[in-house]
Amino acid sequence: MSRFRRGELERPPPEIECVLDLCCEAKQLSGGWFDPWAMPGGVDPTGLVKGWAAEEALAGLAAAGVRSAIVNAAGDVTMLAESGRTWRLGVRHPWRADALACIVETAVPVATSGTYERPAQLIVPEAVAGRVDTSRRPVSATVIGPSLALADALATALCVGGDEVLAMIDAEDGFDGYVIFDDGAEAWTPRFPFAS
């Protein structure tokens, strides 16, 4: 990716083309809150590519005949299981590393993004900067959905855009979200699969 950004490649390899296509889709789904072209130094798909890489790893396991597996890429989790099986996954509490904020029960990928470990990592794209709610800021955002790459990008967007992005996720078929704000408040989409 660095070589592509520096102009050293005539044409991006297929993996980069795939990731950039997904970035375009994520930018549209998030209303511009996820925008890898807004990053300093040029396009940087960091907020999506970890989820994409975990999906690729799981696809490799499936191709090798593995029937049940979980791939966890630092909070971005995808799983392979027989039809009807769900997994229970803990979402780390943003202020207490030894505690869970919630437990999710799902058969689809789960991505979590947060500012509690690396506060300067997330950047507000200039196109949406005027819409940031400064009264409270997200510190942890979890998104589930059929694509871990897109869930990863939407979790990044949710951690930047809060309530506005949560409403977009709610309107998107197949995706659901959960967010914790710096004042301790929590919000989620009605279908978010909290474990009972």
Side-chain angles (χ1 to χ4, degrees):
M1 190 66 205
S2 295
R3 292 178 61 214
F4 173 67
R5 285 174 28 173
R6 288 192 302 263
E8 295 173 9
L9 302 175
E10 271 186 49
R11 188 169 173 204
E15 294 87 355
I16 291 179
E17 285 184 351
C18 177
V19 166
L20 293 179
D21 286 347
L22 285 167
C23 284
C24 286
E25 185 176 351
K27 182 178 177 180
Q28 180 182 0
L29 287 174
S30 70
W33 286 97
F34 175 80
D35 185 355
W37 290 271
M39 299 294 283
V43 61
D44 183 349
T46 302
L48 176 141
V49 76
K50 185 172 54 160
W52 174 84
E55 285 180 314
E56 291 292 304
L58 191 70
L61 291 172
V66 174
R67 294 176 49 163
S68 181
I70 290 181
V71 175
N72 182 349
D76 294 343
V77 181
T78 188
M79 54 288 266
L80 179 65
E82 294 177 17
S83 179
R85 178 172 180 187
T86 60
W87 298 85
R88 286 179 165 230
L89 306 169
V91 175
R92 187 190 145 196
H93 194 283
W95 299 295
R96 297 190 314 265
D98 61 341
L100 297 177
C102 71
I103 297 174
V104 178
E105 185 166 0
T106 184
V108 298
V110 178
T112 298
S113 183
T115 60
Y116 48 89
E117 287 189 342
R118 295 191 277 291
Q121 185 179 20
L122 300 177
I123 294 175
V124 178
E126 190 175 317
V128 295
R131 299 183 347 231
V132 172
D133 180 358
T134 58
S135 66
R136 63 181 191 170
R137 296 191 184 265
V139 293
S140 175
T142 299
V143 173
I144 69 155
S147 162
L148 184 58
L150 292 176
D152 187 9
L154 290 173
T156 301
L158 181 55
C159 210
V160 175
D163 290 317
E164 183 177 331
V165 175
L166 190 64
M168 290 177 191
I169 291 169
D170 187 31
E172 190 59 43
D173 189 36
F175 289 93
D176 284 289
Y178 165 68
V179 62
I180 302 172
F181 295 92
D182 58 2
D183 62 0
E186 300 173 58
W188 55 87
T189 57
R191 299 170 310 274
F192 193 81
F194 294 109
S196 55

